[in-house]
């Protein structure tokens, strides 16, 4: 199995299924790896999967979601290994469970969107940042439920993903306004709630998300607006950043940038870390959690 | 086996009558005070259970229907619904135990662990047994009753730890629980400041009773709370409901008190017996923003013009960062841990009745 | 009601007594033991000589706080008294060592003897005119000391702790108790005797039940030191302020005073809260001063300004006893005095009066009326159509602002927040409704509930302090806090004549206690607080003022400019240079 093949599969999934986030695509890739690349021992399988994960990390895609999703999947696989005797059986069970796991993850977005629905009241103004499929789905659900609300969406440089979100929102019938990233403070006093997605949720209960989220959180706290984070549970990861500098480099910069050996302090980071004190509630498929509950979940899983 | 959750049972005539009587009692103030209502709810539940089918499915369905009926007649009666939720949790637990399901760690509901340990059987809906669960449920209800009886003493005994000598304590509004909490403080030479709540007569009566039992009491109007707050050491209040996330629903005017306490960085201790735990996160303006009679604010005769509007809200929503500590039957807990308590006493399926 | 002039004879007596006392004091100061000092200081009073051992800190503290101003009239007997007491003490000590109860009876007899003298002496006292307030203070201090001893004794029993000597015999304890009862009885008698005469000192007390008076004196005694004696006292944070709400100011006026009737009228109006609100009080004061100046008759051989100044001083003294002055009144008086002082030495009486009256009129016109108009226009610019403006309590300036804005055509809704205890907000509501403004009224407890619908908060001020804090009706700070919690701008409309140079950090340093009975529910005849006076543990507290810290206020609107709160000292400096006040 070659790195490039894995990467090709990964990129293909990302291209073809627009709706799928990087994390889910990564898990799908791993499942495909198990299916297609037949091996005879558990150890070989392990190696394959690790290689695959490594390959995906060097794909010039945001690494945060990939890394947490894959870690969870690996854990999942580990649990599967223990019960069975023969390797073929093991593989079969793994595939089965893998598909269950994937199904659950695909359902997650719907669950989150439903929970967020009750927090979008009639006449409220929502501020959101960059492009998040979960937030988009939540808003589409709200439109279907005939709620009237207004959305402010930041442009979100450098990739201007906010513009795409704006297009999608308008297409769905939402009253959306595109604002500059720097206008967040100005707009904040008019909005009622802030709703954002997350690329990763840290053990502290904080989130890692597109750059600009931290500033948004600070402005919201100052003006006493609640910040709601909509995220699926597979994005929970075990890292615990102490500050912005403490974030792993792979998360902040693309793999190409890291490889090219440029001076990282002069590069623009892609993500930032928002500490838990700026977040009011997290909406996940496991329920509505306070930031302190995130660590509880992770502990239950890993310890 | 039939699934446990997706059941919408209509209440039988008998049950409608029982529930109706319960609601009428509350409306006519025959049951006053949350403790009495909680006990009466348990009695109601026992009655309903003994008169319906014994399967878990039936029981859950009937109780949920009863709860829906109560909440539609008395949308602000949170204690009764909470008690029913607890019984529902007991039923579901019993059901799970008897079906011998694979327990995925502590607590029910989803968890990451559950996700990862997914087995095909776990994935499907929990089936319902056909066993007669009435006996174990009755035991559970008896346990709940004992818990109610000991609730007072367990909460007030914690007063000893939290109230030091020579402290000035502030309380808001009238509450029997807070009164009992404060009574032993006279041994510690504490002073109590009672800020009048919306029910002025009750607050005054409580102040008087406290003073008669030896505690030094100062009575102030709620508008003076900020002025005296700098001298206060602790604020002790009872809340109407403790919500998920640690937010609190209290009597109107509580938010002003906690704002002043936050300004002076004074700890706010909220007494919340377990029947006050509400599994909602959101301040629902429709229900919790309800208004009570404007008469308590202003006499009709005093109103100058026709276009005058007089508002008197019932509740006040206090965000979690204003509360320092919750004291429940089971001990103290900080606001960020309330979600844990909720997951222990209620089943997530019952959050929305 | 009022008293007669003291015959000169007793005044001399008093002076002589005082001097003798001073001498006695010096003599005693050479002693090192505490007990003689104790005796000396509290002569003629109930003395409990049981505790021959020096008592712990509490006694000392109390002693230190006691005003050493013994009853002047009793000085003549002081020396003998001291000797007698000392002798009694010695004997008590010796007897105590033997463990006999005789010492107690000895003490008791000496106590009784003292009492008798006390009574006879006291009957000679007459009530004094206001300029002999010292004698009044003596009476007060005597009463204080009487009760102090009582409380000390009771504290000794109650507290026990360090004060209790180990190994006391039962007999001794019994004797102690007996002596304590005697002391208390004596104190009560002494107090009752005093009550026969009307009281004139400020803060005054209702001449009702002796019991009540005793309790009031008790609560005034322990000023700052919160010792174990507090067990027997009413808990009161505001002991440094008036503790009893007086409703009858006319008692304070001596019969032969030459106060102008306008001043007296104003005093009554202030005391009964007919005139309230800083602007109203200021204008009323200036009006009364105007009349006073107009009718002032200059005595012969006195310079106009000096004569008027002393007359003014006496008038103001009376007025301030009816109600503490507010910032606007203090500044108005400063202004008046400034102009009075600036009158040339040999000015003609008629001219002087004319000048002063003109100055007063000008002050009212410029500082109050024109300033009010300017502020109204400034705030009007900040109100937009569709706004909801929240205000608290009653302020004539805010009423002017809102009514003028409404009449100018702005469409907005007013939300008046009131407190159950004071009728101000209801009054404000009435006035606004009468002018046709759409209003909503809520109680203070609903402030957070309505805040989400509010666009701006506009508040009135009683005074603006040098650090930018706003002194206003109790509850204003709570409203500002709620507004800040929702990020609503808070505007305070304040004339510059209300800016004062003081600095308080909280509402305790300087406040006014309102009528505690206002807290009782009027509609309820059987209010649980009805007999709070007889219950030492229960105190309704009705604060009048509140200090809002500058961080909660967005802007202060004055006639000079819209300022941030922290620029208050700048305005003060400016005023100083302009008006010399």
């Amino acid at each position: 199995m070659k790195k490039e093949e894995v990467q090709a599969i990964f990129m293909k999934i990302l291209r073809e299924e627009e709706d799928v986030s990087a994390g889910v695509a990564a898990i799908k890739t791993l499942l495909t790896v198990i299916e297609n690349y037949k091996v005879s021992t558990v150890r070989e399988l392990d190696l394959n999967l690790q290689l695959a994960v490594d390959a995906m990390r060097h794909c010039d895609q945001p690494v945060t979601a990939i890394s947490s999703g894959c870690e969870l999947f690996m854990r999942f696989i580990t649990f599967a290994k223990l019960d069975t005797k023969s390797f073929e059986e093991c593989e079969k069970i793994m595939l089965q469970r893998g598909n269950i796991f994937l199904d659950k993850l695909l359902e997650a977005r719907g669950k989150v969107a439903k929970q967020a629905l009750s927090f979008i009241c009639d006449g409220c103004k929502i501020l959101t940042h960059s492009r998040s499929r979960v937030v988009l789905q939540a808003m589409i659900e709200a439109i279907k439920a005939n709620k009237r609300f207004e959305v402010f969406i930041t442009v979100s440089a450098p990739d201007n993903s906010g513009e795409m979100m704006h297009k999608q929102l308008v297409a769905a019938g939402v009253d959306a306004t595109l604002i500059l990233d720097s206008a967040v403070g100005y707009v904040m006093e008019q909005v009622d709630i802030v709703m954002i997605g997350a690329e990763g949720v840290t053990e502290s209960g904080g989130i890692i998300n597109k750059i600009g989220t931290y500033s948004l959180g600070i402005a919201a706290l100052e003006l006493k607006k609640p910040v709601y984070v909509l995220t699926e549970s597979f994005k929970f990861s075990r890292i615990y950043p102490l500050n912005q500098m403490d974030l792993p480099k792979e998360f902040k910069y693309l793999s190409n940038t890291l490889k090219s050996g440029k001076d990282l302090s002069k590069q623009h980071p892609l993500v930032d870390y928002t500490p838990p004190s700026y977040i009011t509630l997290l909406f996940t498929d496991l329920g509505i959690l306070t930031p302190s509950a995130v660590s509880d979940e992770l502990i239950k899983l890993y310890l | 086996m039939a699934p446990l959750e997706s059941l919408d049972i209509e209440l039988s005539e008998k049950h409608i009558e029982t529930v109706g009587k319960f609601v009428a009692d509350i409306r006519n103030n025959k049951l006053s005070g949350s403790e009495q209502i909680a006990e009466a709810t348990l009695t109601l539940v026992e009655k309903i259970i003994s008169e319906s089918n014994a399967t878990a499915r039936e029981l859950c369905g009937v109780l949920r229907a009863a709860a829906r009926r109560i909440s539609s007649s008395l949308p602000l009666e949170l204690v009764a619904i909470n008690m029913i939720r607890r019984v529902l949790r007991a039923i579901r637990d019993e059901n799970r135990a008897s079906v011998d399901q694979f327990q995925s760690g502590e607590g029910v509901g989803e968890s990451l662990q559950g996700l990862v340990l997914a087995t095909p059987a776990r994935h499907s809906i929990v089936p319902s047994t056909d066993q007669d669960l009435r006996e174990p449920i009755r035991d559970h209800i008896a346990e709940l009753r004992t818990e109610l009886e000991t609730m007072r003493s367990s909460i007030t005994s914690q007063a000893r730890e939290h109230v030091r000598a020579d402290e000035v304590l502030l309380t808001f509004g009238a509450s029997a629980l807070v009164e009992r909490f404060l009574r032993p403080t006279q041994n510690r030479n504490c002073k109590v400041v009672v800020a009048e709540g919306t029910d002025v007569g009750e607050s005054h009566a409580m102040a008087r009773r406290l003073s008669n039992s030896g505690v030094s009491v100062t009575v102030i109007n709620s508008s003076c709370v900020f002025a005296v707050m700098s001298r206060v050491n602790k604020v002790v209040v009872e809340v109407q409901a403790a919500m998920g996330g640690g937010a609190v629903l209290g009597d109107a005017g509580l938010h002003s008190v906690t704002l002043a306490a936050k300004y002076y960085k004074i700890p706010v201790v909220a007494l919340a017996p377990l029947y006050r735990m509400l599994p909602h996160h959101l301040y629902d303006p429709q229900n919790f923003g309800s208004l009570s009679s404007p008469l308590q604010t202003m006499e009709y005769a005093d109103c100058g013009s026709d276009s005058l509007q007089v508002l008197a809200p019932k509740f006040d929503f206090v965000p979690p960062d204003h509360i320092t500590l919750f004291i429940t039957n089971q001990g103290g807990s900080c606001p960020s841990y309330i979600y844990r308590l909720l997951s222990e006493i209620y089943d997530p399926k019952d959050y929305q009745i | 009601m009022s008293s007669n002039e003291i015959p000169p004879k007793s005044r001399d007596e008093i002076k002589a007594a005082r001097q003798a006392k001073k001498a006695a004091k010096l003599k005693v100061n050479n002693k090192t033991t505490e007990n003689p000092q104790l005796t000396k200081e509290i002569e003629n009073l109930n003395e409990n000589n049981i505790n021959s051992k020096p008592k712990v800190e509490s006694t000392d503290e109390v002693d230190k706080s006691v005003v050493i101003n013994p009853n002047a009239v009793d000085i003549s007997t002081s020396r003998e008294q001291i000797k007698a007491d000392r002798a009694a003490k010695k004997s008590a000590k010796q007897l105590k060592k033997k463990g006999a109860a005789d010492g107690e009876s000895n003490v008791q007899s000496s106590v009784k003897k003292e009492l008798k003298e006390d009574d006879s002496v006291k009957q000679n006292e007459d009530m004094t005119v206001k300029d002999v307030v010292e004698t009044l203070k003596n009476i007060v201090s005597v009463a204080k000391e009487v009760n102090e001893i009582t409380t000390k004794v009771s504290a000794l029993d109650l507290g026990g702790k360090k004060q209790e000597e180990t190994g006391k015999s039962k007999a001794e304890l019994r004797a102690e108790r007996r002596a304590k009862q005697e002391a208390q009885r004596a104190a009560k008698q002494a107090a009752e005797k005093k009550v026969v005469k009307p009281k004139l000192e400020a803060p005054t007390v209702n001449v009702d039940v002796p019991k009540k008076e005793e309790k009031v004196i008790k609560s005034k005694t322990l000023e700052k030191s919160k010792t174990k004696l507090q067990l027997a006292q009413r808990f009161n944070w505001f002991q440094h302020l008036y503790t009893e709400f007086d409703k009858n100011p006319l008692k304070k006026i001596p019969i032969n005073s030459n106060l102008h009737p306008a001043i007296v009228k104003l005093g009554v109006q202030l005391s009964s809260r007919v005139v309230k609100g800083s602007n109203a009080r200021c204008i009323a004061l200036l009006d009364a001063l105007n009349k006073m100046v107009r009718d002032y008759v200059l005595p012969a051989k006195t310079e106009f300004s000096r004569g008027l100044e002393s007359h003014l001083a006496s008038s103001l003294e009376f007025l301030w006893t009816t109600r503490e002055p507010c910032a606007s009144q203090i500044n108005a008086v400063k202004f008046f005095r400034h102009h009075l002082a600036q009158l040339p030495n040999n000015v003609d009486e008629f001219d002087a009066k004319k000048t002063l009256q003109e100055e007063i009129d000008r002050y009212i016109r410029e500082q109050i009326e024109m300033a009010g108009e300017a502020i109204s226009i400034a705030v009007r610019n900040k109100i937009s159509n569709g706004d909801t403006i929240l205000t608290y309590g009653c302020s004539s300036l805010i009423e002017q602002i809102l009514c003028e804005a409404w009449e100018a055509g702005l469409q907005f809704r007013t939300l008046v927040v009131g407190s159950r205890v004071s009728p101000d907000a209801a009054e404000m509501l009435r006035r606004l409704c009468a002018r046709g403004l759409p209003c909503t009224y809520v109680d203070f407890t609903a402030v957070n509930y309505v805040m989400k619908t509010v666009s701006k908060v506009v508040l009135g001020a009683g005074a603006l302090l040098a650090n930018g804090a706003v002194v206003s009706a109790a509850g204003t700070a709570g409203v500002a806090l709620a507004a800040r919690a929702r990020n609503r701008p808070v505007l305070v409309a304040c004339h510059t004549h209300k800016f004062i140079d003081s600095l308080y950090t909280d509402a305790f340093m300087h406040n006014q206690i309102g009528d505690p009975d206002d807290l009782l529910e009027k509609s309820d005849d059987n209010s649980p607080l009805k007999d709070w006076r007889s219950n030492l543990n229960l105190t309704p507290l009705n604060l009048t003022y509140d200090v809002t810290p500058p961080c909660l206020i967005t802007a202060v609107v004055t006639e000079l400019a819209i300022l941030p709160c922290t620029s208050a000292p700048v305005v003060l400096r400016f005023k100083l240079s302009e008006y010399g006040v």
Side-chain angles (χ1 to χ4, degrees), chain B residues 168 172 189 191-193 196-198 200-202 204-208 210-232 251-261 263-264 283 285 288-291 296-299 302-305 307-317 322, chain C residues 226 230-231 233-235 237-238 240 392 413 415 419-421 426 429-430 433-434 436-450 452 474-478 481-482 485-486 505-508 511 519-521 523-524 526-531 535-552:
Chain B
V168 178
F172 177 75
N189 197 20
K191 317 277 177 280
V192 173
V193 179
E196 298 172 350
T198 40
V200 175
E202 274 303 309
H204 287 180
M206 176 174 103
R208 199 232 184 99
L210 273 175
S211 68
N212 285 341
S213 67
V215 186
S216 175
V217 176
T218 308
V219 180
I220 59 171
N221 185 254
S222 51
S223 53
C224 299
V225 164
F226 186 86
V228 302
M229 188 57 85
S230 53
R231 290 288 191 94
V232 170
D251 284 328
L254 183 61
H255 196 188
S256 305
V257 173
T258 56
L259 271 174
Y263 181 85
Y264 285 107
Y283 170 68
F288 304 144
S290 61
L291 303 171
Q296 70 191 34
T297 305
M298 189 178 241
E299 299 281 322
D302 293 338
C303 291
S305 78
S307 65
L308 178 65
Q309 192 188 19
V310 180
L311 298 174
K314 236 179 151 200
F315 293 128
D316 231 352
F317 177 76
H322 288 192
Chain C
K226 280 190 186 181
Q230 212 179 347
L231 284 166
Q233 314 271 324
R234 185 186 286 280
F235 174 65
W237 272 321
F238 293 90
H240 57 292
Y392 180 78
R413 191 167 186 91
L415 215 153
S419 156
R420 186 185 68 83
V421 169
L429 188 68
R430 251 195 296 276
C433 284
L437 277 77
C439 297
T440 309
Y441 180 80
V442 290
D443 184 55
F444 182 80
T445 48
V447 141
N448 278 285
Y449 174 82
V450 294
K452 58 181 181 292
T476 317
L481 201 56
R486 293 245 186 198
T505 48
D506 56 22
F508 283 86
N511 208 326
L519 275 176
L520 276 67
E521 270 187 297
S523 53
D524 193 357
N526 262 347
S527 169
L529 292 186
K530 193 169 51 164
D531 42 3
N535 189 346
L536 264 190
N537 281 333
L538 189 60
T539 319
L541 184 63
N542 183 5
L543 287 180
T544 319
Y545 293 120
D546 202 336
V547 176
T548 309
C551 56
L552 297 178

Side-chain angles (χ1 to χ4, degrees), chain C residues 227-246:
Chain C
T227 64
K228 291 153 201 153
L229 297 175
Q230 212 179 347
L231 284 166
Q233 314 271 324
R234 185 186 286 280
F235 174 65
N236 193 342
W237 272 321
F238 293 90
Q239 285 160 353
H240 57 292
L241 305 171
Y242 306 158
T243 51
E244 193 65 33
F245 184 77
D246 183 22

Side-chain angles (χ1 to χ4, degrees), chain C residues 291-536:
Chain C
K291 293 202 177 91
M292 185 187 87
V293 164
R294 184 193 64 198
D295 298 334
Y296 179 60
V297 172
L298 189 63
K301 291 188 198 160
T302 351
E303 217 187 294
F304 182 77
S305 47
R306 298 263 164 82
L308 187 58
E309 173 64 45
S310 65
H311 186 76
L312 177 73
S314 54
S315 308
L316 290 179
E317 212 176 311
F318 163 69
L319 280 180
W320 299 162
T321 59
T322 59
R323 190 170 176 191
E324 275 235 328
C326 63
S328 53
Q329 289 177 324
I330 294 175
N331 283 344
V333 167
K334 261 195 206 165
F335 162 84
F336 183 75
R337 281 199 160 119
H338 169 73
H339 280 276
L340 188 57
Q342 279 194 340
L343 290 173
N345 274 352
N346 44 3
V347 68
D348 172 36
E349 190 180 320
F350 179 71
D351 281 336
K353 282 190 185 176
K354 190 157 149 269
T355 320
L356 285 175
Q357 287 182 302
E358 273 174 14
E359 285 298 328
I360 290 179
D361 286 336
R362 193 166 67 89
Y363 187 85
I364 294 179
R365 204 178 53 245
E366 282 181 11
Q367 296 291 324
I368 300 177
E369 289 170 15
M370 286 168 63
E373 284 172 23
I375 295 176
S376 170
I377 294 173
V379 176
R380 201 184 315 164
N381 288 336
K382 295 289 179 191
I383 302 179
S384 359
N385 273 331
D387 271 354
T388 306
I389 309 286
L390 185 142
T391 182
Y392 180 78
C394 183
S395 165
S396 52
L397 180 60
I398 303 294
E399 185 203 329
Q400 182 184 358
I401 294 172
L402 292 175
C403 293
E404 286 180 7
W406 178 257
E407 272 144 29
L410 280 171
Q411 297 295 315
F412 60 93
R413 191 167 186 91
T414 318
L415 215 153
V416 179
V417 180
S419 156
R420 186 185 68 83
V421 169
S422 85
D424 293 347
E427 176 59 36
M428 174 81 155
L429 188 68
R430 251 195 296 276
R431 291 188 203 167
L432 290 176
C433 284
R435 301 280 281 267
L437 277 77
C439 297
T440 309
Y441 180 80
V442 290
D443 184 55
F444 182 80
T445 48
V447 141
N448 278 285
Y449 174 82
V450 294
M451 195 54 81
K452 58 181 181 292
T453 59
V454 165
S455 1
K456 295 178 182 66
V457 177
V458 183
L459 301 169
L464 211 92
L465 305 178
N467 60 353
V470 171
V471 178
S472 189
T476 317
V479 170
L481 201 56
R484 164 65 76 199
R486 293 245 186 198
N487 287 312
R488 304 290 188 251
V490 176
L491 291 171
V492 173
C494 183
H495 299 101
T496 50
H497 78 255
K498 293 186 212 164
F499 281 51
I500 50 171
D501 213 357
S502 343
L503 282 161
Y504 340 132
T505 48
D506 56 22
F508 283 86
M509 287 174 62
H510 206 85
N511 208 326
Q512 220 174 58
I513 309 290
D515 186 359
D517 289 321
D518 278 342
L519 275 176
L520 276 67
E521 270 187 297
K522 302 287 185 292
S523 53
D524 193 357
D525 280 335
N526 262 347
S527 169
L529 292 186
K530 193 169 51 164
D531 42 3
W532 64 269
R533 279 172 228 269
S534 55
N535 189 346
L536 264 190

Side-chain angles (χ1 to χ4, degrees), chain A residues 82-93:
Chain A
L82 303 171
D83 343 335
T84 52
K85 310 215 167 61
S86 83
F87 182 69
E88 283 78 22
E89 269 182 49
C90 183
E91 225 182 333
K92 213 165 47 160
I93 291 180

Side-chain angles (χ1 to χ4, degrees), chain C residues 107-121:
Chain C
V107 166
Q108 284 180 32
S109 59
S110 71
V111 164
K112 280 185 188 147
K113 186 178 101 185
E114 287 162 13
L115 266 179
K116 283 191 195 128
E117 296 203 27
D118 206 8
D119 298 343
S120 59
V121 151

Side-chain angles (χ1 to χ4, degrees), chain C residues 154-354:
Chain C
S154 47
L156 294 167
D157 271 355
L158 290 164
K161 297 164 203 171
K162 304 169 201 170
Q163 295 168 357
E164 219 145 52
E165 298 170 28
T166 50
K168 260 189 185 167
S169 71
K170 260 192 187 167
E172 281 183 10
L173 287 165
R174 239 184 289 131
E176 274 181 23
R177 255 177 271 137
R178 232 184 298 137
K180 175 184 149 210
Q181 282 167 12
E182 288 287 351
Q184 283 178 333
R185 220 181 299 143
K188 213 176 176 180
Q189 277 178 8
E192 275 173 18
K193 287 250 157 58
K194 260 201 306 295
V195 169
V196 172
K197 290 134 195 170
K199 293 268 145 229
L200 276 200
E201 80 272 23
T204 54
V205 170
N206 280 334
V207 184
D208 291 334
V209 184
K211 222 184 187 177
K212 190 163 82 165
E213 196 218 292
E214 213 180 88
K215 294 229 170 68
V216 168
I217 296 170
K218 256 190 197 161
S219 59
K220 273 188 287 181
T221 315
L222 279 186
E223 292 172 18
K224 285 277 165 66
S225 53
K226 280 190 186 181
T227 64
K228 291 153 201 153
L229 297 175
Q230 212 179 347
L231 284 166
Q233 314 271 324
R234 185 186 286 280
F235 174 65
N236 193 342
W237 272 321
F238 293 90
Q239 285 160 353
H240 57 292
L241 305 171
Y242 306 158
T243 51
E244 193 65 33
F245 184 77
D246 183 22
K247 293 184 196 162
N248 197 345
L250 289 176
K251 293 198 183 79
K252 299 174 194 147
I253 311 175
I255 283 182
N256 273 9
S257 75
N258 47 359
L259 291 177
H260 193 280
I263 300 278
V264 178
K265 182 174 163 201
L266 178 62
V268 175
Q269 285 174 332
L270 284 176
S271 160
S272 55
R273 304 287 200 269
V274 164
V275 171
K276 53 182 175 179
S278 48
N279 273 348
R281 284 160 76 183
C282 182
I283 294 179
L285 175 70
L286 287 173
D287 204 51
L289 287 183
N290 206 337
K291 293 202 177 91
M292 185 187 87
V293 164
R294 184 193 64 198
D295 298 334
Y296 179 60
V297 172
L298 189 63
K301 291 188 198 160
T302 351
E303 217 187 294
F304 182 77
S305 47
R306 298 263 164 82
L308 187 58
E309 173 64 45
S310 65
H311 186 76
L312 177 73
S314 54
S315 308
L316 290 179
E317 212 176 311
F318 163 69
L319 280 180
W320 299 162
T321 59
T322 59
R323 190 170 176 191
E324 275 235 328
C326 63
S328 53
Q329 289 177 324
I330 294 175
N331 283 344
V333 167
K334 261 195 206 165
F335 162 84
F336 183 75
R337 281 199 160 119
H338 169 73
H339 280 276
L340 188 57
Q342 279 194 340
L343 290 173
N345 274 352
N346 44 3
V347 68
D348 172 36
E349 190 180 320
F350 179 71
D351 281 336
K353 282 190 185 176
K354 190 157 149 269

